Amino acid sequence: MTDPVHRPEQAAVRGLLRAVDEALDGPVPREWKEAVAAVPRHRFLPDRIWLENNEGGYGPCDLPTDHQRWFEAAYADAPVITQVNDGQAPADPADAWPSASAPSIVVRMLRDLDVRPGMNVLEIGTGTGWNAALLAHRLGPRHVTSVEIDSDVSEQAWASLNATGLDVDLICGDGSLGWPHRSPYERIISTCSVRRVPWAWIEQTRPGGIILTPWDNPLLCWGLLKLTVERDRAQGRFSPHSAFMLMRNQRHDLRIFRDVVRDDHVPKESATTLPPWNITGDHWEARFALGLRLGDVWTAWEDEPDVDGVAARLWIATTDARSWAAVDHDGEQHDHFTVWQHGPRRLWDEIEAAHHWWEQHDRPTPDRFGLTVTENSQWAWLDRPTCPARALDHKESR
C-alpha cells in the first residue's frame, strides 16, 4: 500500500514525467522513467534555490520559509539555479546560470548517451548529483565516476548521493583532465559546455565509445555534440538542444569598453545592408553556423548608446580583443546601416561573408554540422567531414 507521506512526491514525479514526455520527441524510455521515479529530484536541491522575480532578475527561495514554491520548482520541467555567478550573487541577471538543468534536457542526454547496465561512465560536472544518481540507478554500483571542480558543490552532491545510498565515485577536480584512474570508459557525458573537446576525454574512452557534451561558441552557447571515439580521433554531429554553463577553464571574461575599445582607436567607416539583428537575438540557427564558421568572434548588443543618431548598436569582437566592429541602427532605416571596423581583422566583412555562405548552403540547421577532433586540432564540417565549415582565411585565437 502507498505510504501517504510520499503521495505528494509521487504525484509530483508523475506530473514531471508527463511534462518531459511532451518536451521530448517521443516518450521517456521505461528505464529512465524508473530512474526518475526512484531518485526524486528534490532530494538533490539545496534548501536555498534562486527563482526569477518580477524585476527581471533572481531572488532566493528557501525551503523552510517557502516550501510550496520550492517544491513546485523542484518538479517543474525547468532549470533551477542552485548557485549564481559561481557562488556570488550576480549584479546582472545575465550572469545567472542554471546549476540544475531542466529534467527534459537531462533525460534527453541520458537517452542519447545509450548506456546499458554494467557500462563504465564518466560524468564531467557533478552539479547537484541528480544526473549521476540517475546513471548509478541505471548502471549499478561502482560504474559511475563524476568529477566536479567546485568543492562546495561537490560536498553538497556527495551528501545527497550518500543519503540515497547510490554508489558514485565522486572526485573534486578539473573535469577537463577526465579521471584516468577508472578509465577506459564506454561513455563520457559532460554537464558543462565546451568550446574545445579535451583530448583527455578521448584518450580515456574505449574505441567505439561515445562522448556527449553541450557545445559553446563565443557567438552562441547552444547545441549538443555526440562524438564516437576512434583510435586516433573522435567524430560526430551536433543536435539543436540546450545551453549549459561553459567549462570554467575555457571562459573569457571580456567587456567591450573595459577590454576591447580604446579612445585612441580610429575605426574605418563603411555601410551594410545586412541587418545586425539577423546575426543576433533569436536567429539561433544562423548564429550557430556563423559561430562554427568564425570560431573566436563574440557579440554584444547595446540599446540607446550615447551617440547622436544611433538607436541601437551591435558590437562584434574577437576573443583576443585585437579586432572589433560596430553596426549602427538609426531607428528608422531598415536597409542601410553604418559600420565601424578596427584591428587586423575586418570582422563585419567576415560576418557578411559567413552569413552569405550560410544562405548559399540552404541555411543549414545544427544537425547538418559535425566536428572532428584529433590530438592537435579540431574542425567543424557541413554534411560530411570532407566539407570544412570553418573559414580558411584566419586562425582561431588561442
Side-chain angles (χ1 to χ4, degrees), residues 200-221:
W201 296 0
I202 297 167
E203 286 185 312
Q204 294 170 29
T205 304
R206 293 184 186 276
I210 291 172
I211 297 172
L212 182 65
T213 179
W215 183 252
D216 182 281
N217 184 276
L219 198 62
L220 178 67
C221 177

Side-chain angles (χ1 to χ4, degrees), residues 293-309:
R293 185 84 173 155
L294 300 176
D296 60 346
V297 175
W298 57 285
T299 63
W301 188 268
E302 185 180 11
D303 286 312
E304 300 181 357
D306 189 17
V307 179
D308 289 342

Side-chain angles (χ1 to χ4, degrees), residues 71-90:
F71 191 78
E72 288 174 356
Y75 286 97
D77 185 26
V80 173
I81 295 175
T82 61
Q83 183 194 72
V84 291
N85 201 25
D86 295 335
Q88 303 296 318

Side-chain angles (χ1 to χ4, degrees), residues 113-352:
L113 195 63
D114 188 26
V115 297
R116 292 177 292 279
M119 281 186 169
N120 290 322
V121 175
L122 173 65
E123 178 192 46
I124 308 299
T126 312
T128 66
W130 190 53
N131 195 74
L134 294 172
L135 280 167
H137 182 273
R138 169 72 174 141
L139 299 174
R142 302 289 295 168
H143 286 288
V144 179
T145 303
S146 187
V147 182
E148 170 59 52
I149 196 170
D150 189 305
S151 58
D152 291 337
V153 172
S154 66
E155 286 182 14
Q156 177 71 38
W158 182 88
S160 298
L161 287 164
N162 189 55
T164 65
L166 291 165
D167 191 356
V168 173
D169 192 4
L170 178 54
I171 293 94
C172 184
D174 183 353
S176 69
L177 303 177
W179 188 247
H181 307 289
R182 295 287 300 276
S183 66
Y185 304 96
E186 280 84 12
R187 301 288 188 267
I188 292 182
I189 182 171
S190 175
T191 65
C192 56
S193 61
V194 297
R195 292 177 178 171
R196 296 189 66 81
V197 179
W199 183 247
W201 296 0
I202 297 167
E203 286 185 312
Q204 294 170 29
T205 304
R206 293 184 186 276
I210 291 172
I211 297 172
L212 182 65
T213 179
W215 183 252
D216 182 281
N217 184 276
L219 198 62
L220 178 67
C221 177
W222 189 48
L224 291 174
L225 174 64
K226 185 175 182 178
L227 298 170
T228 299
V229 174
E230 304 170 16
R231 293 195 177 276
D232 61 347
R233 66 184 57 201
Q235 198 159 262
R237 290 184 177 272
F238 295 96
S239 61
H241 302 293
S242 74
F244 284 74
M245 184 182 296
L246 180 62
M247 181 173 282
R248 290 192 187 183
N249 62 10
Q250 295 190 14
R251 299 179 193 175
H252 297 282
D253 180 21
L254 294 172
R255 297 289 186 272
I256 287 290
F257 297 112
R258 185 192 68 191
D259 305 307
V260 180
V261 178
R262 297 286 180 266
D263 290 340
D264 60 348
H265 288 176
V266 182
K268 300 290 186 181
E269 182 180 356
S270 59
T272 183
T273 58
L274 176 63
W277 46 81
N278 280 15
I279 55 96
T280 187
D282 293 335
H283 290 258
W284 306 104
E285 293 173 348
R287 291 169 63 194
F288 183 87
L290 268 60
L292 288 180
R293 185 84 173 155
L294 300 176
D296 60 346
V297 175
W298 57 285
T299 63
W301 188 268
E302 185 180 11
D303 286 312
E304 300 181 357
D306 189 17
V307 179
D308 289 342
V310 179
R313 171 173 284 174
L314 175 67
W315 292 97
I316 306 103
T318 53
T319 55
D320 64 8
R322 296 179 61 213
S323 299
W324 61 265
V327 184
D328 291 343
H329 178 223
D330 63 9
E332 297 180 2
Q333 298 186 81
H334 288 76
D335 58 357
H336 184 86
F337 309 89
T338 302
V339 177
W340 308 92
Q341 300 187 86
H342 175 81
R345 290 171 59 181
R346 292 293 179 258
L347 291 184
W348 185 252
D349 294 349
E350 292 184 18
I351 288 277
E352 283 192 312

Side-chain angles (χ1 to χ4, degrees), residues 45-117:
L45 297 181
D47 287 354
R48 167 167 286 189
I49 59 178
W50 297 76
L51 302 177
E52 291 185 12
N53 55 31
N54 296 323
E55 301 173 357
Y58 295 88
C61 175
D62 296 322
L63 175 61
T65 58
D66 200 353
H67 177 273
Q68 185 64 29
R69 187 164 171 247
W70 185 97
F71 191 78
E72 288 174 356
Y75 286 97
D77 185 26
V80 173
I81 295 175
T82 61
Q83 183 194 72
V84 291
N85 201 25
D86 295 335
Q88 303 296 318
D92 185 341
D95 291 331
W97 277 85
S99 307
S101 301
S104 57
I105 292 296
V106 172
V107 173
R108 182 188 298 277
M109 291 182 67
L110 292 174
R111 181 194 64 184
D112 291 351
L113 195 63
D114 188 26
V115 297
R116 292 177 292 279

